[in-house]
Amino acid sequence: MSKGKKGEMRFTITVAEIALKERRLDFTRFTTTNTADGGGDLYLYAPSNLGEKFEDIRDNGASQISCSSLMTEVRVDVKNKKADKDDAEKFLDDMKKNPKSGEHWLVYKDISKPAKDRISEAQKGSKKPIRTFSFEDLNKIGQSYATLPEYDEDE
């Protein structure tokens, strides 16, 4: 299994587990690993404030944010390595290829200071949320959902 595929599958597993708890969360994966994908390894169809909720869990260990009924498409670019400045530049450039996406997330194993600085700079000037999550962050987020019950399909 390629390095990239492992990262994409880790992210997919985490999102699938969370989707059993968050009724309106779903995702698609249009291409296989190492196939041209326009900068989107996966696309989430999610409550519009899910990224905010994930950041709250990452930063505080838990969240009291209730998911919105408004939905958005989230483009996710997964790097199963230390994301460098070139990765950050490509991630940001690929935003133009994905105008329908309401948010853009970069997921990585680790991130270099120049890449982090470039993302921070872009976040300040962007009309759409740009979020970053490490695999460690995702583990923390996934663990916070682990104790929650699955949603009832009859509701």
Side-chain angles (χ1 to χ4, degrees):
M1 182 180 295
S2 77
K3 193 175 189 179
K5 184 174 182 178
K6 282 185 178 183
E8 291 171 16
M9 293 301 119
R10 278 191 188 102
F11 181 81
T12 303
I13 289 166
T14 301
V15 169
E17 289 291 330
I18 293 170
L20 295 172
K21 317 295 174 92
E22 291 287 0
R23 175 185 299 276
R24 291 179 303 279
L25 176 59
D26 206 346
F27 68 91
T28 57
R29 185 170 186 253
F30 295 113
T31 61
T32 57
T33 304
N34 297 326
T35 302
D37 58 21
D41 293 318
L42 291 108
Y43 292 84
L44 304 182
Y45 298 92
S48 61
N49 65 343
L50 186 69
E52 181 183 346
K53 182 172 184 170
F54 278 15
E55 287 177 334
D56 194 27
I57 294 167
R58 175 193 64 202
D59 298 341
N60 302 306
S63 179
Q64 298 302 313
I65 296 172
S66 296
C67 281
S68 170
S69 60
L70 297 173
M71 301 294 287
T72 194
E73 177 184 278
V74 179
R75 175 183 69 101
V76 181
D77 191 3
V78 179
K79 300 292 177 205
N80 193 33
K81 64 177 192 140
K82 185 173 189 169
D84 59 26
K85 190 173 180 183
D86 289 342
D87 294 321
E89 289 291 350
K90 184 176 181 323
F91 166 73
L92 295 168
D93 287 345
D94 286 342
M95 288 175 64
K96 296 176 202 116
K97 296 178 188 174
N98 293 276
K100 286 184 1 184
S101 296
E103 291 197 17
H104 302 270
W105 295 5
L106 178 62
V107 176
Y108 51 81
K109 197 172 202 172
D110 194 7
I111 191 165
S112 70
K113 182 168 180 356
K116 193 173 199 169
D117 291 346
R118 180 64 189 101
I119 297 284
S120 293
E121 177 186 315
Q123 286 170 322
K124 293 174 190 163
S126 179
K127 291 182 171 113
K128 295 182 179 182
I130 300 169
R131 303 183 196 276
T132 62
F133 297 99
S134 68
F135 284 111
E136 187 177 310
D137 296 336
L138 289 174
N139 285 338
K140 187 176 186 179
I141 293 163
Q143 288 171 359
S144 78
Y145 275 90
T147 59
L148 299 176
E150 292 182 9
Y151 67 83
D152 185 351
E153 291 183 34
D154 294 329
E155 288 181 357

